[in-house]
Structures are given as structure tokens and as C-alpha cells.
Amino acid sequence: MTKAKGKAAKPSEIDSHDVIRVQGARENNLKGVDVDIPKRRLTVFTGVSGSGKSSLVFGTIAAESQRLINETYSAYVQGFLPSVARPEVDVLEGLTTAIVVDQERMGSNSRSTVGTATDVNAMLRIVFSRLGEPSAGPPFHYSFNSPAGACPECEGTGSSTDLDLTQLYDASKSLAEGAITVPGFTVDGWKVKTYLAAEFLDGNKPIRKYTKAELQKFLHGEPTKVKVDSFNMTYEGLVTRIQKSFLSKDRDSLQPHIRAFVDRAVTTTTCPECDGTRLGKAARASKVGGITIADACSMQISDLGGWVRKIKKASVAPLLATLQRTLDSFVEIGLGYLSLDRPSGTLSGGEAQRVKMIRQLGSSLTDTTYVFDEPTTGLHPHDIQKMNELLLRLRDKNNTVLVVEHKPETIAIADHVVDLGPGAGTEGGTVCFEGTVAGLRSSDTVTGRHFDDRASLKDAVREPTGVLEVRGAGSHNLQDVDVDIPLGVLTVVTGVAGSGKSSLIHGSVAGQDDVIAVDQTAIRGSRRSNPATYTGLLEPIRKAFAKANGVKPALFSTNSEGACPNCNGVGVTYTDLAMMAGVATTCEQCEGKRFQAEVLEYTFGGKDISEVLEMPVAEAERFFGRGKAQLPAAHAILERLVDVGLGYLRLGQPLTTLSGGERQRIKLATNMGEKAGIFVLDEPTTGLHLADVEQLLGLLDRLVDAGKSVIVIEHHQAVMAHADWIIDLGPGAGHDGGKIVFEGTPADLVADGSTRTGEHLAAYVKG
């Protein structure tokens, strides 16, 4: 028997499949990037914020992988999938299936919880349907998202909402006098005109003089057609209209003034029927091992795992084994302090990313590309080692792991490093270094020079000007905490994830008068929103253009009269190609400038409005700071944007392109103009490069030196070392935390050394 002879593959052909080859990547600010990324290795992408890391990893590699996978489905199925355009790149070879684990907040739908988001609830429902006594029936009788299992009183939400009618109208006034006090209901507006046109209401009679029948129709009237100025309009009761317009929408999507109104007008209480469990009577009565499914979902996950281990039933043994592994993964990934009934919308960006990781840890897939966005976000130094071990475990299953990261502890475990820069925005977008961690350390890149930076303890700390007293704080896991937070200084609140930091500060401090809290929640807005509109910067600029040219300010807005009629002020035109990715082309009429041609004839300081919006913040700060374009109102806002390290952003850059760290800093810059005395910042180092942390510390110092009190929730040791006062919570997470374990100066914390934070800070400052 003879063996068939075959031609051996050339080594170069084999090697070509061992890398992800990128050539000519031009997404966003990338300048024709060429890079070979080794497969089945852990590659970390570094560089200052805005250098192009996400554009390369997420916008190019992961996006193209997703697009190619979508193309394997039929045209019918593709019609239901999100369309992804091909990224701007010449060559992209060697791709494998990409699983993206990012920091996008999980949906804030009130029906989404940690349990539903990870499918743990689905497994628990099966366990209770098989073993529950008395049985409530099939699994969907145990679900609060099913009519059969939900509490009929609250329909599975666990809460009931009431409207404070005094916030809706002034009973001493008539409709014609402006009785309705809801935002948007002005006397000359069509909404109020609809009420005035209703024959069954007297628009000139004070609301307090309405009969019961009139008040019922005013507040809860059924939809009815009425004629307003020859137009047919729909009348409906004020409460009904508010519920549809405001209360049925995601609170975070509402405009700030409407959100403030909703917070004033709506009171939310626990459902009295189900006591907040969301479940119907049958599900609440069914027990396994002495507890109900509602009890199981409210337990700390680390405790729930112990309860599951005690169940010994052969009939559901495979299911229990899978459930146990999933619960153990929560603990392993540092989320054992959560409960399954925790609303997913309340998770931080770092927690949300780790919850998404749960699905991947038990996966049998190999030769897959996992893409992570700063997986150490929200992690105490004590927990970063656990995260590193998980990343390495994924790699060791023959997977390619791509990580965008700033923390040196995670960069240090990389097999390969790609450093982008040298700067941010237009000054970035190139590969400055590619190689090993040792090579990065000795390189002359910004990352290499700052890799081993260590902040030192301050020689002297500021003396407080007073204290903010917190007494008996007990929200979530806090155990009746009493603490005096010093004022007039920089206070850093530390502790492992889940120790109670956010519960203490956001629960007991952030809601008070004279306090501004700046977090990392997404800035809601369309592609029309940008730093100029969000910060209020565009207002004085539009007025300056209008005054200088003797025209209306509305001409200098792409959302108003000045917009290009062809693209409606967007700058591009979109062609819908059904199941294929739509095509966006630069508007031929305005050439992407978004304004009408006649608007661009008007100038201020020698530049038209489109040229101003194309300016980076740092350039605009100089432009409006002196000379014929001097504009103090605009310059003050731009100075604050530069202060928070956003000098590279273009004034007209869509807010949808900002990272979590950039979102927080733009919100901080916006709020710095407020007159509040206390600033609360939630992990402001998120998304910051090692080189930028020093700039942040300078900003915090300037706030304190200006007479502000600054409270920072933070894990970064450089910020801890720079504090005047540290409040450390712990000692652990969940019910193992919730206590003050240390109060004092950073030097005292290092000397004490009894807490986890103290141990890591001591190791950090001693290098």
C-alpha cells in the first residue's frame, strides 16, 4: 500500500494563519495602521485616552468579525440583525469569531435583573417547578416576567408608583391662567390648547372649583377628539398623558429638566401585595429546602451557592451542577456579593462587564477571539490578580485574548503589547510600539516612560474646615455606619468592590443640597449631540456669531435654521440597503460641513461656524481666549475641558463616540462651573492613561484650593496616596463588608497595614 504524496505547505502559509493581520486601518483617527496580532496569545493595547485603541480593537477587528458572521445567515435573518458597516481598512486577515465583553451598561429595564441577564433565574425556575412544595406549576409560573407568575397588583415590577398631584397643577389657577405646571405645558402651547378646547372643561375656572366629574375627566379622561385651530387633536387626561409621555420611558433618556420633574412628582413604594418580590401568591408559597424562589434571588450569591450544594436530588442533578458552576463563577470573578434580584441597570460599568464574562467562563469554545474593554474597571487592587488569572485561563484554552487596558498590573501579564499614540485625537492613531512588556518598559513611548510611575505620599495634608456628618447609614449592605467626612479637603473612599463605598456616598451624601455627583453613566444623545452642545459652549458662540454679523443665532445651529436642507444638518446622507449595512456618504451639498452655504459666509475671528466646530478643544481654548475672537463665556468652559484632559476632543465630535472615562470627565467639566461646595467623583481614573493620572490629581488639587470639598470613590493607589483623608470600607464585600475599617491619612493607612487597601497602598508607594 502506497501513501499518497502531497505537497507540503510552505511555512509562510502556515504562519499566516497564526496572526490577525491588519493593514491600512483608518477607522476614526487611525492613520493607516499596520499590525500583526499573534493568535492564541494575550495581547494588551495601550496608549493615552483617545489614541485609537478602541478604534483598532472594537471598531476594526471585532466589528469586521461580527459583520462576517452576520453574512453567513440568510438575507431574511440578516434583516433582524443589527447592520454593521465594513470598517475602513485595506486588509484584515486571520479573523476568528469575536466575543466582545465591553463596559456598556446593561439595560435599565425594570424587569432585567442579574438573574435574568445571566439565565440563572431560568435554571432556578426549573429547580422550583420540579422540587417546590407545594408546586406552583411549570417554570413560567415562577417568572415575574410571565403573566402566570407575576404579582397581579404590580404586574411583576415589585413596586407601585404614585403621582403627587400638587406637582402637576396649581389648583388656585385656571387652565387659561397656566394651572398646569408640568414641563412643556405652556398656555400658548398646543398641549394646553387641547385642554382649553375640550367642551367638558371650563378653562377659566380654577381647578379647585372643579366638580368630581370634571376633575376625573381632567386627570383621567379617555382619549377624545377635539378641534384646535381647525386641527383635530386628541384629548386625554393629564395623568394619562404624563404616564405615556414620561413615566413609560427610561428615566435616563429624559432631558434633565423633565427628569427633575419626574423625581419630584413620582413616589415609588414597595408593592404591598408581593412585598417587592414581584411574584404571584403560588410562587411565593412554593419552597425548596425551606426557602422560596424569592428568598433564593434575594440571597447573596456566595450564600446561594452554599444552599444549592445542599440539594441532593438525582432527578435534577445535571441542572444543579450547571447552576452551581455558574454561581461559583460569580464568586470567582469577584461578584459573589451581588444578589440575583439586583436590577441590572444599577450595575457599574465594571460590574456589568464581569457579569457578561460569566457566560464565557464555562464555555467549551476554543480558537475564539475574546475582546475586553478595561476589565479591571471598578476592581480593587486586591481583585485585579483574580481578573488576570481569568484572562490567562481564557488564553490557555487556545483562545486569542485582546484587552484594552491602562492598569500596569494587567499590562504586565501580556504576551504581546501594542502601544498606540503618541497623543490623542488627531495626534494619535499610529502604532508607537509593538512587542513584549520588557520591550515596552525600555521604549521611549509615553506608556513606556510612565509604566513604572509611582505616586508618593504627601509630605503634609490639608486641615479640614468642618465635617459632613453621616449617621446610621444602612442602605444595601451598610451596617448602621456613622462617619464624619471632612470638608475643605480631598477625601478618598476606598474598599474592595461591593464593600459599600457607593452605598455610603451616593446613598447618604450625593442627594444633599450643595452636592454635585459626577458618575460614568452614559450621556444620552443622538449623533447630533457633541461637546459644544452638551456643555452649553455653543450658546455663547452662536450669539457671538449672530452679533458680529447682525443675524439670528438660530442660523448657527445644525438643529435649527442654519442646517443644510439636503442632510438636515447631519453632514452625511444615509442609504438604507435593507438587510445589508446602510451606506453613509458625505453630503454633496454642504460637503459634510452640515450648514447652509450662506451661513458659512458669516465669520467670527476669521473663521466660519463649521471651522470652529472642527477645532480640538485645546485649539479653541486659545482661539477664544485672546485677540479679536476673545469670548470669556466660551473660554471659561473650554478651560475646564482642557483641565479634565479633553483638549484633544473636537467641539463637534458626536457624544456617541466617547468612552466611559471621557463621559465622566465631560460631565465633570460641565459641573465645575456650578456653585456647589461639594463634588463627588466616582472612579475618575477610569479610562485614564498612566500619564494622565498626574493631570487629574492636579485638577483635584485646584478644586480643593478653590474652596471645594472633593470626595472621590477610587481604587487607584496614586489617588489614594494623594488624598488628605481616607475612609476605607470592608473588610470584605456584601454582608462581609459595610463597615468603616479605617479613617485617617494615607500615611497612617500605610503604617496601619491591617486592611487590604493598606497592604496594597504600602506595596505601591514602596515600589
Side-chain angles (χ1 to χ4, degrees):
M1 183 175 178
T2 58
K3 293 183 179 179
K5 293 183 179 179
K7 188 175 180 181
K10 295 179 181 178
S12 59
E13 292 177 3
I14 298 173
D15 293 342
S16 69
H17 298 292
D18 285 334
V19 296
I20 297 173
R21 178 160 291 123
V22 182
Q23 292 181 355
R26 299 178 302 280
E27 242 348 82
N28 296 326
N29 68 330
L30 297 179
K31 298 173 180 173
V33 164
D34 297 340
V35 64
D36 285 352
I37 302 165
K39 287 185 181 178
R40 295 173 288 281
R41 297 291 183 272
L42 171 60
T43 300
V44 176
F45 295 79
T46 62
V48 298
S49 182
S51 61
K53 305 182 298 298
S54 294
S55 296
L56 176 58
V57 179
F58 294 95
T60 304
I61 298 171
E64 179 65 354
S65 173
Q66 184 63 65
R67 188 184 72 86
L68 292 174
I69 290 171
N70 287 358
E71 284 189 350
T72 65
Y73 297 108
S74 67
Y76 174 76
V77 173
Q78 287 184 52
F80 295 96
L81 298 173
S83 59
V84 182
R86 187 183 189 280
E88 289 287 322
V89 61
D90 294 333
V91 177
L92 198 47
E93 298 175 341
L95 290 176
T96 66
T97 302
I99 296 176
V100 176
V101 188
D102 59 22
Q103 286 192 52
E104 282 301 311
R105 295 292 177 111
M106 303 178 81
S108 54
N109 185 316
S110 62
R111 295 185 176 277
S112 176
T113 65
V114 170
T116 61
T118 56
D119 289 341
V120 175
N121 269 28
M123 290 185 274
L124 270 180
R125 291 200 301 269
I126 297 173
V127 170
F128 274 84
S129 71
R130 300 292 186 270
L131 307 179
E133 292 290 342
S135 175
F140 64 85
H141 281 85
Y142 289 92
S143 171
F144 53 78
N145 287 326
S146 161
C151 167
E153 182 71 24
C154 65
E155 298 180 335
T157 62
S159 60
S160 57
T161 57
D162 293 313
L163 274 172
D164 181 356
L165 297 182
T166 63
Q167 296 292 332
L168 307 188
Y169 60 87
D170 182 346
S172 67
K173 294 181 178 179
S174 67
L175 291 173
E177 293 171 329
I180 301 177
T181 56
V182 179
F185 284 72
T186 56
V187 174
D188 58 349
W190 65 266
K191 294 178 182 177
V192 173
K193 284 183 178 180
T194 302
Y195 286 88
L196 291 171
E199 295 179 357
F200 45 80
L201 289 181
D202 185 347
N204 295 309
K205 184 165 70 172
I207 305 293
R208 58 181 156 84
K209 292 188 177 181
Y210 277 13
T211 64
K212 285 187 177 180
E214 286 176 319
L215 192 61
Q216 172 67 20
K217 287 181 179 178
F218 171 52
L219 296 177
H220 306 286
E222 294 292 323
T224 307
K225 292 294 182 184
V226 297
K227 194 171 274 304
V228 179
D229 298 336
S230 75
F231 293 100
N232 285 324
M233 306 295 290
T234 300
Y235 170 94
E236 57 186 346
L238 182 62
V239 169
T240 307
R241 184 180 291 277
I242 289 172
Q243 287 173 333
K244 287 182 179 179
S245 301
F246 301 155
L247 306 189
S248 64
K249 295 179 180 177
D250 176 10
R251 178 185 174 278
D252 291 335
S253 69
L254 300 174
Q255 293 177 288
H257 69 289
I258 295 177
R259 192 161 60 232
F261 160 74
V262 170
D263 290 342
R264 289 195 310 270
V266 177
T267 56
T268 303
T269 56
T270 301
C271 174
E273 172 66 23
C274 66
D275 197 26
T277 63
R278 307 172 179 233
L279 294 166
K281 189 174 182 179
R284 297 199 307 271
S286 182
K287 294 185 177 181
V288 173
I291 73 168
T292 66
I293 190 170
D295 296 330
C297 290
S298 65
M299 292 171 69
Q300 187 165 302
I301 288 175
S302 56
D303 294 338
L304 181 61
W307 174 77
V308 171
R309 282 190 181 88
K310 296 176 182 176
I311 303 175
K312 307 294 183 183
K313 294 288 183 179
S315 60
V316 289
L319 178 63
L320 289 172
T322 303
L323 176 59
Q324 187 65 64
R325 282 197 302 271
T326 306
L327 296 174
D328 288 345
S329 294
F330 272 98
V331 177
E332 189 177 15
I333 210 166
L335 294 177
Y337 59 87
L338 295 179
S339 60
L340 297 180
D341 61 3
R342 169 88 173 261
S344 57
T346 65
L347 299 177
S348 68
E351 286 173 331
Q353 182 170 216
R354 282 179 280 151
V355 165
K356 294 174 191 175
M357 284 184 72
I358 298 293
R359 290 177 176 271
Q360 317 306 332
L361 296 180
S363 173
S364 299
L365 290 173
T366 61
D367 272 328
T368 299
T369 299
Y370 287 95
V371 186
F372 293 92
D373 184 12
E374 293 188 56
T376 61
T377 296
L379 286 183
H380 188 271
H382 172 77
D383 298 316
I384 291 179
Q385 182 58 37
K386 289 181 184 177
M387 177 59 68
N388 286 349
E389 290 170 0
L390 293 172
L391 295 174
L392 292 172
R393 189 200 304 175
L394 285 173
R395 177 205 65 184
D396 292 343
K397 289 171 64 176
N398 271 357
N399 293 308
T400 303
V401 182
L402 310 181
V403 181
V404 173
E405 187 55 82
H406 291 295
K407 293 282 177 65
E409 297 98 318
T410 297
I411 299 173
I413 68 167
D415 301 306
H416 191 72
V417 178
V418 178
D419 189 31
L420 285 97
T426 56
E427 297 178 4
T430 62
V431 174
C432 299
F433 172 83
E434 199 181 343
T436 64
V437 176
L440 175 68
R441 266 194 163 104
S442 59
S443 71
D444 194 34
T445 68
V446 176
T447 306
R449 291 196 300 271
H450 290 272
F451 191 84
D452 293 307
D453 278 3
R454 293 291 184 272
S456 56
L457 297 173
K458 294 195 293 190
D459 294 330
V461 295
R462 302 177 183 90
E463 289 296 322
T465 57
V467 296
L468 178 65
E469 294 185 358
V470 176
R471 295 291 179 266
S475 60
H476 300 301
N477 68 327
L478 294 178
Q479 300 182 29
D480 198 28
V481 168
D482 294 340
V483 63
D484 290 339
I485 302 174
L487 298 176
V489 299
L490 173 59
T491 300
V492 175
V493 182
T494 61
V496 298
S499 61
K501 305 182 298 297
S502 295
S503 298
L504 174 63
I505 301 303
H506 289 295
S508 301
V509 178
Q512 297 189 26
D513 293 337
D514 203 34
V515 176
I516 285 182
V518 185
D519 60 21
Q520 295 181 40
T521 52
I523 295 173
R524 300 284 178 173
S526 67
R527 55 177 174 259
R528 291 178 178 274
S529 302
N530 53 53
T533 58
Y534 182 82
T535 60
L537 171 67
L538 192 57
E539 193 65 24
I541 291 176
R542 288 170 54 209
K543 288 180 179 177
F545 266 90
K547 185 177 180 181
N549 294 281
V551 293
K552 293 188 295 184
L555 283 175
F556 304 98
S557 170
T558 57
N559 296 324
S560 189
E561 297 178 26
C564 166
N566 187 51
C567 64
N568 294 319
V570 178
V572 294
T573 55
Y574 293 91
T575 305
D576 185 6
L577 297 179
M579 74 284 182
M580 297 181 68
V583 176
T585 55
T586 301
C587 175
E588 295 178 355
Q589 193 163 321
C590 68
E591 298 179 339
K593 294 184 178 180
R594 304 191 292 170
F595 291 91
Q596 299 177 31
E598 52 267 32
V599 173
L600 301 182
E601 294 176 5
Y602 301 120
T603 61
F604 178 73
K607 292 187 180 294
D608 65 47
I609 187 66
S610 71
E611 291 173 323
V612 168
L613 290 175
E614 279 300 306
M615 284 183 179
V617 166
E619 181 184 338
E621 188 267 336
R622 294 190 294 270
F623 178 74
F624 290 108
R626 53 184 174 272
K628 55 186 178 180
Q630 189 170 6
L631 193 61
H635 185 252
I637 297 172
L638 290 161
E639 270 190 320
R640 296 198 293 268
L641 286 168
V642 171
D643 267 350
V644 298
L646 296 177
Y648 59 89
L649 290 184
R650 289 181 296 105
L651 300 188
Q653 182 173 333
L655 292 183
T656 52
T657 65
L658 300 187
S659 67
E662 287 169 333
R663 290 185 204 121
Q664 186 180 32
R665 281 179 281 148
I666 200 170
K667 284 194 280 188
L668 173 59
T670 304
N671 286 308
M672 278 168 61
E674 301 291 333
K675 295 182 179 180
I678 301 173
F679 280 81
V680 172
L681 307 182
D682 195 347
E683 293 188 60
T685 61
T686 298
L688 278 188
H689 186 267
L690 300 162
D692 296 325
V693 172
E694 188 174 343
Q695 183 177 8
L696 172 69
L697 297 178
L699 170 64
L700 298 179
D701 278 341
R702 287 194 295 279
L703 283 172
V704 176
D705 292 341
K708 310 291 186 184
S709 301
V710 181
I711 303 169
V712 181
I713 301 170
E714 189 54 80
H715 292 295
H716 201 296
Q717 296 100 318
V719 180
M720 297 180 198
H722 201 72
D724 297 305
W725 192 258
I726 285 183
I727 298 172
D728 193 22
L729 282 96
H735 56 49
D736 294 325
K739 300 176 182 177
I740 303 293
V741 293
F742 176 84
E743 296 175 77
T745 66
D748 290 339
L749 179 61
V750 169
D752 177 77
S754 64
T755 72
R756 289 175 177 174
T757 304
E759 291 174 14
H760 286 276
L761 182 59
Y764 175 85
V765 297
K766 293 170 184 175

